[in-house]
Amino acid sequence: ERQTPLPGLYAAGECACVSVHGANRLGGNALLEGIVFGKRTGAAAAAYARKKTQIAGGADALAAEEKRVEWLLRAEGKENVESLRRELKQILWDKVGIYRSEAAMTLAVSAVRDLKRRYPHIAVGAKGKRFNYALLEGIELRNMLDVAETVAVGALARRESRGAHSRTDYPARDDANWLKHTLAWLRGGKVELTYEPVRITQWQPKERTY
């Protein structure tokens, strides 16, 4: 199980950096990791919750999210949620796919940030709170934009090829500089990267054979 730096928040799967499968997340490996460590993480989170009554700042965070939802319900901008989502998908497909380059990913980061600037001008359309899928899509779009920027910024910084991250301009794996996990933080509206060492126990990392 993995407790994050945020008290009470636990992670399971690829985002927890348990490193069961190394950099290879292909072929359903992440599903196995999610099932096994999801069970352990759930039990750890439940044990934590039983010992705590209220996380400091939780009420403020809830109020902020409620305010964001109310804003989305009232928003009457000219941007369409589905159109922005389609643009985001195309940007990532074309420029941050399996085969990546510095030039393409630089353009992708800029394009995703432009979409984030356009996001405040969306219109959800539906006003109700029950079964409002348009509202859910509006919320999900902002989350997608944050994740897309994180992926693109992290991949742009990693100047090597590893697992499914294949740089056409840096085709070799570089353990001397990049045998480490990338951690992304959203601070002041900007993505900041830090790194954490990989914990190697019984098996050393091997070269790709495919």
Side-chain angles (χ1 to χ4, degrees):
E1 69 276 4
R2 185 67 177 267
Q3 184 175 8
T4 70
L6 183 63
L9 180 63
Y10 286 74
E14 292 180 61
C15 65
C17 295
V18 178
S19 303
V20 174
H21 300 291
N24 180 20
R25 59 176 178 79
L26 307 178
N29 291 346
L31 180 61
L32 173 63
E33 193 168 334
I35 291 172
V36 173
F37 289 98
K39 184 177 187 300
R40 292 177 58 87
T41 301
Y48 179 91
R50 283 193 292 268
K51 295 185 295 184
K52 298 288 183 178
T53 54
Q54 177 65 49
I55 301 286
D60 292 338
L62 178 60
E65 287 304 301
E66 289 176 340
K67 185 176 180 180
R68 183 161 71 109
V69 170
E70 291 297 333
W71 169 80
L72 281 168
L73 291 172
R74 295 192 306 269
E76 296 181 351
K78 296 181 179 180
E79 295 285 1
N80 179 271
V81 171
E82 178 58 26
S83 296
L84 291 182
R85 185 168 58 192
R86 282 199 301 268
E87 287 186 49
L88 177 63
K89 289 180 179 179
Q90 198 63 50
I91 290 165
L92 296 182
W93 179 266
D94 292 340
K95 297 179 171 57
V96 198
I98 293 178
Y99 297 102
R100 305 164 171 179
S101 71
E102 187 100 7
M105 288 190 293
T106 299
L107 291 174
V109 170
S110 177
V112 170
R113 287 174 176 166
D114 182 61
L115 291 179
K116 293 183 76 170
R117 285 190 288 269
R118 291 164 59 189
Y119 177 82
H121 304 289
I122 65 170
V124 167
K127 303 297 184 182
K129 291 186 178 181
R130 292 186 177 182
F131 301 105
N132 190 340
Y133 293 107
L135 173 62
L136 291 177
E137 289 172 357
I139 295 172
E140 288 173 351
L141 175 60
R142 181 51 198 259
N143 297 339
M144 289 178 183
L145 289 168
D146 286 340
V147 171
E149 184 182 15
T150 298
V151 169
V153 169
L156 181 60
R158 183 173 285 270
R159 292 179 170 176
E160 65 153 1
S161 290
R162 182 181 300 272
H165 170 72
S166 296
R167 293 282 298 256
T168 56
D169 44 358
Y170 294 95
R173 200 178 82 187
D174 182 2
D175 284 355
N177 294 303
W178 289 106
L179 185 58
K180 53 189 177 183
H181 299 291
T182 303
L183 281 70
W185 309 82
L186 190 61
R187 292 171 173 154
K190 296 182 179 180
V191 175
E192 295 182 10
L193 303 179
T194 61
Y195 298 92
E196 182 174 302
V198 174
R199 294 182 295 276
I200 300 173
T201 55
Q202 186 172 350
W203 290 283
Q204 293 292 320
K206 294 183 178 180
E207 293 292 339
R208 291 181 295 175
T209 57
Y210 54 87

